[in-house]
Amino acid sequence: QSKRVQLARVLSLAAAAEREGVTHLHSPWAFADASVTLLAAQLLGVSYSVQPRASDLHGRTQGRGVCDV
């Protein structure tokens, strides 16, 4: 993703969450979606969580230990 696209997603999510009065943001996936959610949460000053799936962890760490990531 380009930085502009990611920034647009962050701002869009933050605006929607603020409009709806959301007090916690959750990302059901790691990596790109999680960073968008984290940044939107930081802009709003709300809590944030992420739930990585096995494919998020193992699909990107083949042959490497988790500590090497």
Side-chain angles (χ1 to χ4, degrees):
Q1 275 183 3
S2 75
K3 290 180 182 181
R4 287 183 183 187
V5 170
Q6 187 171 19
L7 178 59
R9 291 180 67 206
V10 169
L11 296 175
S12 177
L13 176 59
E18 184 175 48
R19 186 172 50 251
E20 296 296 323
V22 171
T23 60
H24 178 84
L25 293 174
H26 175 77
S27 177
W29 307 104
F31 303 106
D33 290 339
S35 63
V36 166
T37 307
L38 170 64
L39 293 170
Q42 288 179 333
L43 281 174
L44 295 173
V46 300
S47 58
Y48 155 85
S49 60
V50 62
Q51 180 182 356
R53 308 287 193 227
S55 61
D56 291 328
L57 301 174
H58 300 293
R60 303 204 184 219
T61 60
Q62 290 178 334
R64 298 172 63 188
V66 173
C67 293
D68 296 333
V69 178

